[in-house]
Amino acid sequence: MPFRPLYGHHAVRARLRAAAGDGRLPASLLFQGLRGVGKQRLALWLGQYLLCERATTERLPDPCGTCQHCRYAERGVHPDLHWFFPRPRFKDKDPDVEDVKADLGEAIAERLAADGLYAPPPGTEGLYVAVMRALIRMAANRPAMAKGVVFVVGDAERMVTQEGADQSANAFLKLLEEPPPGVTLILTTSEPGALLPTIKSRVVSVRVPTLPRADMEAFLADAAVARQLSRAPHEELLARAGGAPGVLFAGDGTAAAFANARVLLEAALAPRTPDGTVVRIKAAAKQGVAGARGSYSDTLDALTHVLHARVQQLVKAGHESDARRTASVMTLVEATKTKVQHNVSPNLLTASLLQAMHRALVP
C-alpha cells in the first residue's frame, strides 16, 4: 500500500524543487511547523523527488511516480530513503543496524496499513541513542541503488542525546554539519525550541505552514480519510484541524474531548423547560468533581472549536443573529479556561458555564 498523497504545501514544494533542480538544496534541512501539518509527509515527498530518475533533471512538479525509485519510495521500501521517528527503547543497548532497520520497517508498514493516518507516537517513545548510532553508520554507506541517500528524521525534538553518549551526539552533529557526498538529512519538528541549539545551528530551517481551506477540503474528501472521520460534522473537522490535518488523528483523547464538547453545546441549547434543565445538570455532573486540568481542559478547547464550526454553519445558512449569539459565548468558554488553572470542581464550573451559555444562546 503506498503513502497517502501529499495535500497542499504548494509554495514550499515549489521552492524545494527549484533548489533541487538548481543544485542549491542544503544537505541538512529542518522542517518546522505546527503538529499535524504534514511535515514528515512533505519530507518523504522531497526524498522521493531527489531519488526519482526524472524529477530533478526534467524539472517535474512532482516525482514521476512510474520509475523504480518512485515505486519503491511510495511503498516505503526504497533502500536509500530512510524514515526515522520515535520508537520504543531497544532492550539491547547497542542493537545492530539491521535490527534498527527491521524495527522501523515494521513500524512504517503499520503506518501504511493504517492508510498513512496515524496518531503521534506516545511520550514513552523517542529517538534513542542506539537508533541515532545506527543512522550515523548507515549514512557512511554508499547508496544501494540511487544516486544519493535521504534520511527523514521525524519529531527530531525527541532525540535523546543523554545516557553518557557524548561521542554519539557529537558524531551526529558532525554528520549534520558535513554530510557525506550524496546524503541529504531532513529533520522535522513541532517544537523547535526543544531542539538543541547545536542542532539548529547546523541545519537550514524551512517553515511549513498550515493548509488553507481548499487543501483541507481536498484532504477530507480523500476516501480513506472520509471513512475514518465520517461520524464528525464537516465544519467541525475543519475547525478542529485548524489547517493541520494530522490533528484529526491524534488519538482517542482528542475524539473524546470533541464528543464531550458536542454534548455540552447540545445541553446549552436545550429548551427553557424542566427537562432542559435536567439535561444541563446531567451534562455538568458528568464532568467529574475534582482535578479540573487534563481531559476537562481538552474538552473546553474542543468546545471553542465546536462553537466556531457552528458559527460558520449559521452564517452559511443565513442565520446571522444566531451566529452572533454563538460567537458571543466563546468569551464565556475562554473565561472558564482561566478558572481551570485553579483548584476548582469541573462539574460546578460546567454548571455555571452551561447556564450562562443557555441564556445567551436560547432567546
Side-chain angles (χ1 to χ4, degrees):
M1 185 174 294
F3 286 121
R4 241 4 33 236
L6 172 61
Y7 290 93
H9 304 307
H10 303 291
V12 178
R13 281 196 259 182
R15 293 198 302 271
L16 292 170
R17 64 175 170 252
D22 294 339
R24 298 181 289 105
L25 189 74
S28 297
L29 293 161
L30 173 67
F31 289 179
Q32 61 182 63
L34 293 179
R35 187 172 303 282
V37 297
K39 299 180 296 296
Q40 292 184 58
R41 184 64 189 90
L42 177 62
L44 291 168
W45 172 89
L46 178 58
Q48 181 181 344
Y49 192 88
L50 295 174
L51 300 180
C52 176
E53 292 177 357
R54 298 173 49 204
T56 55
T57 55
E58 299 181 25
R59 301 296 184 98
L60 299 180
D62 289 291
C64 75
T66 58
C67 71
Q68 186 179 40
H69 296 293
C70 282
R71 294 198 304 272
Y72 284 3
E74 288 177 351
R75 299 204 309 271
V77 295
H78 197 295
D80 297 316
L81 178 55
H82 305 286
W83 185 14
F84 285 73
F85 45 84
R87 296 289 297 146
R89 189 194 301 269
F90 274 88
K91 293 181 179 179
D92 182 353
K93 290 187 177 180
D94 191 20
D96 61 36
V97 170
E98 293 306 314
D99 289 336
V100 172
K101 290 169 68 174
D103 176 69
L104 285 167
E106 291 177 6
I108 291 169
E110 289 175 2
R111 290 186 170 189
L112 288 172
D115 291 314
L117 307 172
Y118 53 86
T124 54
E125 297 182 1
L127 292 161
Y128 292 106
V129 171
V131 173
M132 300 314 295
R133 283 183 186 144
L135 187 156
I136 294 165
R137 293 169 188 162
M138 292 163 65
N141 297 330
R142 295 176 61 84
M145 61 179 283
K147 56 189 175 183
V149 183
V150 180
F151 292 87
V152 174
V153 182
D155 296 308
E157 73 277 1
R158 306 270 286 274
M159 210 177 293
V160 181
T161 56
Q162 290 82 20
E163 305 178 13
D166 294 338
Q167 185 177 358
S168 176
N170 290 334
F172 181 69
L173 293 174
K174 180 68 173 176
L175 176 63
L176 279 178
E177 192 169 33
E178 297 181 21
V183 172
T184 301
L185 295 156
I186 311 172
L187 280 60
T188 78
T189 183
S190 304
E191 302 174 35
L195 281 174
L196 293 173
T198 48
I199 289 178
K200 289 191 287 186
S201 66
R202 287 167 168 81
V203 296
V204 175
S205 292
V206 176
R207 190 178 72 86
V208 182
T210 54
L211 299 185
R213 184 182 179 101
D215 291 327
M216 281 299 307
E217 293 277 11
F219 175 80
L220 292 176
D222 183 295
V225 175
R227 281 196 301 273
Q228 289 208 26
L229 302 176
S230 59
R231 296 182 180 179
H234 185 76
E235 287 295 331
E236 179 188 308
L237 290 173
L238 289 171
R240 177 174 155 193
V247 169
L248 301 175
F249 305 94
D252 294 339
T254 299
F258 273 84
N260 196 18
R262 287 193 292 271
V263 169
L264 295 183
L265 177 57
E266 290 169 3
L269 290 168
R272 294 178 182 271
T273 63
D275 287 344
T277 300
V278 171
V279 169
R280 284 184 284 280
I281 292 172
K282 287 183 176 179
K286 289 180 180 178
Q287 304 310 308
V289 296
R293 302 175 186 271
S295 60
Y296 184 63
S297 295
D298 294 339
T299 293
L300 293 178
D301 288 337
L303 182 57
T304 299
H305 290 299
V306 169
L307 288 168
H308 179 76
R310 177 177 167 80
V311 170
Q312 298 277 61
Q313 290 172 323
L314 291 169
V315 169
K316 281 186 176 181
H319 304 308
E320 295 187 2
S321 60
D322 288 336
R324 284 193 293 271
R325 280 194 290 269
T326 302
S328 71
V329 303
M330 291 187 190
T331 58
L332 300 174
V333 178
E334 293 303 316
T336 303
K337 289 180 185 179
T338 63
K339 296 175 183 177
V340 170
Q341 304 305 317
H342 306 288
N343 188 22
V344 292
S345 167
N347 60 348
L348 293 178
L349 266 183
T350 306
S352 176
L353 173 62
L354 289 179
Q355 184 179 13
M357 287 177 63
H358 175 71
R359 286 197 299 263
L361 291 173
V362 182

